[in-house]
């Protein structure tokens, strides 16, 4: 099972995507255009309501899972450490993940009290997505889910900040990072969400300064982490961590390694669906870094991957990005 180029750890969330008439959102009590966490009972009610309208499209989701799918489509060997239940959604998640080329490392968990995590995504005719996410079993991932043997020969580890919300997730991250470093690899994290950073600021700060070789965040997340303006936050981050990446919506990305800073301009396109922009930026960036490419070129790959994914519906690339990279002279 060893020999992966990139291993990711994150929430394994099955996306259930279904069209819905505008008027029906209010009828079932869904607020349009937002992502909200829901309890199990509420998620099962929404699933039942959606099933009355016909079967939705099942797409394995979760931030890091989307990133790994993008990296895999670029040609690197990827593995995903996530937690699903041994139920219909969990088995489908594992099967579809592997069908897309990413090894789903941990077997579905039998007999558990919690079902597979799911996000019921209701799409109105104007293309707006209303997301209702039940975290389920994926949020219980812990150090016992991390097998050190998986990291033999691994070069890069990518962690999802959302999983930092629980003590078991923090322990899993540290176990994986230690295993990655013992195998000679590089470990990094996406900060994921400014509210998550606010809840665990000191632990995040220790992680960034101690164990991480690279950290990806947007401007709001970096400001939340260091509780200051962006320039000062990035100065402090660069003192803590060798490689610091900052995305800024609609503005150039900032990349700092060993004190050297580069800016990568964004590709301005009219967004069709912004879902997955950050995930695919990370995919292009990590593909470049894991392939031994310089930081600025890797950043340009990230920008191109983000531009591709916001040009269509869905959080994963549809076009062959390697062809785009070659056309742009990046490889």
């Amino acid at each position: 099972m060893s020999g992966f180029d990139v291993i990711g750890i994150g929430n394994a969330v099955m996306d259930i995507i279904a069209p819905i008439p505008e008027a029906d959102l209010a009828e079932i009590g869904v607020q349009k255009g937002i992502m909200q966490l829901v309890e199990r009972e509420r998620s099962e009610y929404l699933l039942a309501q959606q099933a009355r309208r016909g079967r939705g499209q099942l797409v394995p989701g979760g931030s890091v899972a989307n990133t790994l799918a993008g990296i895999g489509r670029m040609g690197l060997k990827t593995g995903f450490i996530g937690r699903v239940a041994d139920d219909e959604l969990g088995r489908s998640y594992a099967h579809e993940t592997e069908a897309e080329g990413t090894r789903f490392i941990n077997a579905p968990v039998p007999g558990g009290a919690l079902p597979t995590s799911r996000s019921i995504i209701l799409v109105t005719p104007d293309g707006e997505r209303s997301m209702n996410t039940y975290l389920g079993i994926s949020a219980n991932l812990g150090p016992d889910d991390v097998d050190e043997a998986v990291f033999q020969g691994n070069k890069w580890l990518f962690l999802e900040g959302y999983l930092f919300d629980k003590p078991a997730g923090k322990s899993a991250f540290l176990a994986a990072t230690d295993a990655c470093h013992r195998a000679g690899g590089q470990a990094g994290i996406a900060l994921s969400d400014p509210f998550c950073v606010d809840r665990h600021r000191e632990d995040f700060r220790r992680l960034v300064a101690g164990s991480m070789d690279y950290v990806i965040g947007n401007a709001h997340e970096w400001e939340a982490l260091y509780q200051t303006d962006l320039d000062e936050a990035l100065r402090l981050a660069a003192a803590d961590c060798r490689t610091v990446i900052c995305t800024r919506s609609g503005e150039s990305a900032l990349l700092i390694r060993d004190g050297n800073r580069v800016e990568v301009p964004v590709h301005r396109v009219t967004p069709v669906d912004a879902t997955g922009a950050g995930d695919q930026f990370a995919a292009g960036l990590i593909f470049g870094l894991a392939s031994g490419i310089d930081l600025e070129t890797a950043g340009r790959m990230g920008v191109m991957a983000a531009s591709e994914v916001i040009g269509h519906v869905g959080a994963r690339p549809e076009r062959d990005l390697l062809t785009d990279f070659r056309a742009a002279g990046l490889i």
Side-chain angles (χ1 to χ4, degrees):
M1 200 189 288
S2 61
F4 296 105
D5 297 303
V6 182
I7 292 176
I9 301 181
N11 279 309
V13 183
M14 181 63 89
D15 289 342
I16 301 152
I17 306 169
I20 188 169
E22 184 99 26
D24 287 8
L25 282 182
E27 182 184 319
I28 61 174
V30 171
Q31 188 175 342
K32 182 179 177 182
I34 67 167
M35 193 289 276
Q36 57 184 350
L37 295 177
V38 299
E39 297 299 323
R40 179 175 181 174
E41 185 178 355
R42 172 69 173 162
S43 81
E44 289 174 354
Y45 166 78
L46 292 173
L47 278 176
Q49 292 298 311
Q50 175 263 312
R52 288 195 303 113
R53 299 176 177 85
R55 186 172 176 82
Q57 180 188 7
L58 300 182
V59 180
S63 179
V64 161
N66 289 334
T67 296
L68 291 172
I71 295 170
R73 290 183 188 185
M74 295 172 202
L76 296 187
K77 187 177 178 185
T78 55
F80 180 44
I81 296 173
R83 196 169 172 86
V84 297
D86 190 9
D87 54 21
E88 183 182 358
L89 286 181
R91 291 188 293 272
S92 177
Y93 190 101
H95 178 268
E96 293 301 322
T97 297
E98 298 222 339
E100 286 215 16
T102 292
R103 177 72 183 270
F104 193 78
I105 291 171
N106 294 12
V109 179
L114 291 172
T116 295
S117 309
R118 75 287 302 261
S119 184
I120 299 135
I121 303 170
L122 303 171
V123 186
T124 44
D126 61 0
E128 192 78 54
R129 291 179 158 215
S130 306
M131 304 172 69
N132 304 269
T133 302
Y134 168 61
L135 288 178
I137 196 172
S138 72
N140 283 1
L141 186 135
D144 290 345
D145 296 302
V146 177
D147 178 1
E148 178 153 0
V150 167
F151 291 88
Q152 295 306 310
N154 173 49
K155 299 179 181 67
W156 291 78
L157 171 67
F158 187 46
L159 307 170
E160 181 177 313
Y162 287 122
L163 266 180
F164 214 58
D165 254 344
K166 289 195 174 184
K170 295 176 185 179
S171 298
F173 281 6
L174 294 175
T177 300
D178 288 347
C180 175
H181 284 152
R182 281 194 291 272
Q186 300 279 302
I189 192 170
L191 296 177
S192 293
D193 178 77
F195 301 110
C196 189
V197 170
D198 284 338
R199 288 191 294 272
H200 306 281
R201 182 174 293 107
E202 293 310 310
D203 283 342
F204 266 118
R205 288 279 299 270
R206 279 192 288 272
L207 192 69
V208 169
S211 304
M212 294 297 101
D213 301 293
Y214 67 101
V215 181
I216 303 171
N218 65 30
H220 301 301
E221 291 155 2
W222 284 116
E223 289 169 347
L225 186 63
Y226 290 96
Q227 294 183 286
T228 185
D229 64 80
L230 183 61
D231 282 344
E232 178 63 6
L234 293 180
R235 186 189 71 79
L236 292 168
D240 281 346
C241 181
R242 184 187 176 209
T243 303
V244 170
I245 314 295
C246 176
T247 59
R248 301 180 295 169
S249 181
E251 297 183 59
S252 57
L254 306 175
L255 301 89
I256 307 169
R257 174 179 276 176
D258 297 331
N260 299 311
R261 174 168 161 159
V262 296
E263 291 195 24
V264 177
V266 297
H267 294 226
R268 296 195 178 276
V269 297
T270 302
V272 173
D273 177 7
T275 308
D279 301 341
Q280 295 312 319
F281 173 85
L285 176 85
I286 294 169
F287 168 80
L289 296 178
S291 300
I293 290 167
D294 68 272
L295 185 64
E296 181 175 358
T297 303
R300 291 177 64 192
M301 290 175 167
V303 165
M304 288 184 71
S307 298
E308 189 279 339
V309 82
I310 66 175
H312 58 77
V313 173
R316 298 183 175 188
E318 293 182 348
R319 203 167 60 239
D320 179 1
L321 283 161
L322 289 182
T323 299
D324 294 356
F325 296 163
R326 288 190 189 97
L330 303 183
I331 54 175

